[in-house]
Amino acid sequence: MADPAEARGCGECGMCCKLLSAPSLNKPPRKWCVHFRRRSGCDIYADRPAECRGFNCGWLLTPSLPDDWRPDRAGFLLHQDEGRIIVEVDPSTPQAWKKAPFEQTLRGWAAAGTEVVVLVADKGLRLGTPDQSVKARRT
Ligand code: SF4
Ligand code: SF4
């Protein structure tokens, strides 16, 4: 979860606090963090661990992505990993990334030469022609 003072705020999103792991808190991926509060966000914000501080949310960092890409609205979050774009999908809405305009946009990035990997639970898919199954690797 990012600094609320940033120009584009998290609002009530919290998707990273659900989907990503926080090893120093023994928080597994895809389970809500015990410190997340729906209305107020992280209840240990000032003391949140390094892995939370270090998360670079694609939606927050990309002003050109419209509001319907906010992760709780879209059903997935975006971040970069060694040049790849990782699309981490909420397992409760596994098809979310396929809705318009998401899939078309993601495939456009892949066609333009950026590696785009969609992760749904333990399955990874590298978008391309054709798509390729890959080993899921998570933050
Ligand atoms: S996924 Fe992004 S927008 Fe949502 S709470 Fe985390 S940092 Fe904020
Ligand atoms: S410690 Fe705070 S920022 Fe980190 S996952 Fe938990 S609620 Fe989110």
Side-chain angles (χ1 to χ4, degrees):
M1 174 166 270
D3 187 333
E6 288 184 23
R8 184 173 234 187
C10 297
E12 294 188 352
C13 177
M15 192 64 95
C16 55
C17 304
K18 178 182 182 184
L19 296 185
L20 304 183
S21 63
S24 64
L25 298 173
N26 289 321
K27 180 208 171 301
R30 290 164 277 144
K31 301 279 185 196
W32 280 106
C33 178
V34 296
H35 296 292
F36 181 72
R37 303 286 175 265
R38 175 60 64 187
R39 292 182 180 278
S40 53
C42 177
D43 69 3
I44 57 165
Y45 191 78
D47 299 315
R48 68 197 189 288
E51 55 266 41
C52 302
R53 293 174 187 275
F55 173 59
N56 291 315
C57 173
W59 180 76
L60 279 180
L61 295 173
T62 313
S64 59
L65 286 178
D67 283 352
D68 54 359
W69 286 72
R70 196 176 86 174
D72 60 325
R73 296 171 178 150
F76 57 85
L77 59 76
L78 302 173
H79 64 104
Q80 290 218 352
D81 175 37
E82 298 176 358
R84 303 183 304 175
I85 293 176
I86 305 297
V87 184
E88 180 90 31
V89 183
D90 186 343
S92 68
T93 56
Q95 303 295 318
W97 69 279
K98 292 187 173 178
K99 290 182 187 166
F102 304 132
E103 181 174 7
Q104 184 182 15
T105 302
L106 296 170
R107 290 193 180 282
W109 294 342
T114 301
E115 186 177 359
V116 179
V117 176
V118 178
L119 301 179
V120 184
D122 289 326
K123 293 189 167 46
L125 192 68
R126 180 186 294 119
L127 300 186
T129 312
D131 296 339
Q132 286 182 300
S133 293
V134 294
K135 190 171 165 43
R137 205 178 91 202
R138 292 197 151 72
T139 301

